[in-house]
Amino acid sequence: MTETVLVTGAFGLVGSATVQRLADDGRSVVATDLDTPAARKAADSLPVGVTVRWADLTDPAAVGALVDEVSPSAVIHLAAVIPPFIYQRRGLAERVNVEATASLVRAAEKLSSPPRFVLASSIAVYGSRNPHTVSGVLTADTPVNPADIYGDHKVQAEKIVRTSALDWVILRLGGVLTVSPGSYMKMDNFSFEGMLPTDGRLQTVDVRDVARAFAAATTADAVGETLLIGGDDATHRLLQGDVAPAMAAALGLVGGLPTGLKGDPADDDGWFNTDWMDTTRAQHVLGFQHHSWPDMLIETAEHAGITRPLLRVVAPLVKQVLKRRTAYYGTGLRYANPWQAIADKWGDPRPEAHQ
Ligand SMILES: NC(=O)c1ccc[n+]([C@@H]2O[C@H](COP(=O)([O-])OP(=O)(O)OC[C@H]3O[C@@H](n4cnc5c(N)ncnc54)[C@H](O)[C@@H]3O)[C@@H](O)[C@H]2O)c1
């Protein structure tokens, strides 16, 4: 057996940070992802100790060959199709999020020294969370009740992992943010965030802390545990509508984002699948919380550099342009209706059983 960690989705948001963390910790890493021009370019500047294996995880033969060849001591499985793109590509998403997880688990089970399997799940498993009617914060024991295909895929993937013969750890992530948001400032992401109730609760977490959690989960005394990964309770328990404007302001776009709509207090199904969470156990075993929300904003501003004053000047104009492109512009709606807005723009978000 090698002591190599196999990281899937290694060139995504969480994957890049996780590979970096493992390399910084002196671990041997095989990074795998789809062979795309962007990933090839990123592969040119990988840290020492990291090798790359391109593979499409929807191909079970490719998965089998990859796992056999690497024979890892741990797998960190991050590859997934995530919102909002998932709502446009339901079939592909199911193959990646559910079937590829099963292929990886089956291949890992066949090794003579099977690896520990660390799965990236999401608090989307809990479904719509109306802050006016739910009590307390999310825990690992809160019943799952997915409202969309994403949450449903994660429930299915968790079941595959939990019922496998492998040692496993499941990490359910909250809202992952980066202090270098450049590549995530896409129109689709603005549209998506603008659909979500501004008073929905969201526990954010710095991607570098998520990476620490994944790296620690490969060896920590946490086998058979489901852990909730969010930033510290004191500063990361935020409201949806506060997050993007604060990040945008840190980048220089002060007042540059249009204000969205609140959620309907009388509609328990009309909220997005985020909430605050109890991270006590996760922090105890993984010790991952290092970046507070105010520190993230300061770092974001520092990274923005020269573009900051320029964005400040164009902020009012940007707001006017974005306002006209928000889902609720001109609808006269009083409350946000995120699932309908997602259906109208990208496709039906509901799990198969509810269609
Ligand atoms: N970002 C968040 O806020 C968040 C929240 C909760 C859970 N998660 C979970 O964390 C994990 C990582 O998320 P992320 O934000 O880094 O997503 P991402 O979209 O940035 O990265 C996902 C990676 O998976 C790869 N991938 C997709 N299809 C593949 C295939 N067929 N074969 C091989 N690789 C494939 C993509 O190329 C991409 O690099 C995912 O499982 C996601 O569901 C993320």
Side-chain angles (χ1 to χ4, degrees):
M1 188 179 79
T2 66
E3 287 302 317
T4 299
V5 182
L6 175 63
V7 181
T8 75
F11 291 89
L13 172 65
V14 177
S16 317
T18 301
V19 166
Q20 184 68 53
R21 176 79 257 153
L22 290 162
D24 288 350
D25 291 346
R27 311 278 298 273
S28 155
V29 182
V30 173
T32 186
D33 208 308
L34 289 173
D35 186 356
T36 63
R40 285 239 167 213
K41 194 160 171 242
D44 288 342
S45 46
L46 278 173
V48 178
V50 181
T51 29
V52 179
R53 282 285 321 259
W54 305 115
D56 181 344
L57 301 182
T58 61
D59 174 358
V63 171
L66 173 72
V67 172
D68 273 355
E69 217 172 282
V70 177
S71 189
S73 61
V75 176
I76 297 178
H77 180 37
L78 306 169
V81 177
I82 65 172
F85 185 60
I86 186 173
Y87 306 121
Q88 278 179 313
R89 302 292 305 271
R90 296 178 70 99
L92 171 70
E94 168 125 27
R95 280 190 284 129
V96 177
N97 297 355
V98 183
E99 292 167 25
T101 303
S103 305
L104 262 175
V105 164
R106 299 289 94 88
E109 283 175 329
K110 285 192 196 132
L111 293 176
S112 53
S113 294
R116 180 183 290 203
F117 198 94
V118 184
L119 175 72
S121 185
S122 165
I123 57 160
V125 297
Y126 300 110
S128 172
R129 302 285 297 175
N130 179 354
H132 300 274
T133 57
V134 294
S135 58
V137 296
L138 298 170
T139 72
D141 297 328
T142 305
V144 299
N145 182 25
D148 70 346
I149 40 170
Y150 182 55
D152 187 50
H153 288 171
K154 290 298 185 190
V155 169
Q156 292 185 57
E158 285 192 5
K159 191 170 170 200
I160 291 164
V161 170
R162 238 179 235 125
T163 56
S164 75
L166 302 171
D167 283 350
W168 56 265
V169 184
I170 292 170
L171 304 190
R172 289 179 178 160
L173 315 185
V176 182
L177 298 177
T178 166
V179 295
S180 313
S183 58
Y184 296 90
M185 291 176 70
K186 295 180 188 141
M187 201 54 221
D188 268 355
N189 290 335
F190 283 123
S191 304
F192 182 45
E193 284 193 20
M195 293 171 180
L196 312 182
T198 52
D199 52 345
R201 302 195 300 204
L202 171 68
Q203 193 151 343
T204 51
V205 56
D206 189 305
V207 70
R208 294 167 295 182
D209 290 352
V210 176
R212 261 181 207 277
F214 275 106
T218 61
T219 54
D221 190 9
V223 170
E225 291 201 50
T226 300
L227 299 167
L228 272 55
I229 305 300
D232 67 79
D233 299 347
T235 70
H236 279 280
R237 287 186 173 170
L238 304 171
L239 297 183
Q240 181 71 54
D242 296 336
V243 177
M247 272 284 170
L251 290 166
L253 215 52
V254 181
L257 296 189
T259 312
L261 295 177
K262 288 188 172 186
D264 184 351
D267 181 6
D268 280 350
D269 296 327
W271 294 76
F272 198 56
N273 45 25
T274 61
D275 204 343
W276 296 336
M277 54 178 101
D278 182 351
T279 61
T280 316
R281 174 66 190 159
Q283 172 64 3
H284 179 72
V285 281
L286 304 177
F288 64 97
Q289 292 169 336
H290 290 267
H291 296 91
S292 73
W293 172 237
D295 285 349
M296 285 190 73
L297 293 176
I298 291 168
E299 262 193 82
T300 304
E302 284 167 359
H303 285 187
I306 185 76
T307 56
R308 232 172 149 244
L310 299 175
L311 283 175
R312 217 186 161 108
V313 174
V314 297
L317 183 66
V318 171
K319 184 173 184 172
Q320 287 313 313
V321 172
L322 291 180
K323 195 171 150 187
R324 283 174 176 72
R325 301 181 70 169
T326 55
Y328 305 123
Y329 182 72
T331 61
L333 281 175
R334 178 164 177 215
Y335 293 116
N337 190 348
W339 301 116
Q340 189 58 52
I342 287 168
D344 292 345
K345 186 166 172 70
W346 290 296
D348 192 346
R350 289 173 300 167
E352 302 298 336
H354 297 91
Q355 283 197 305

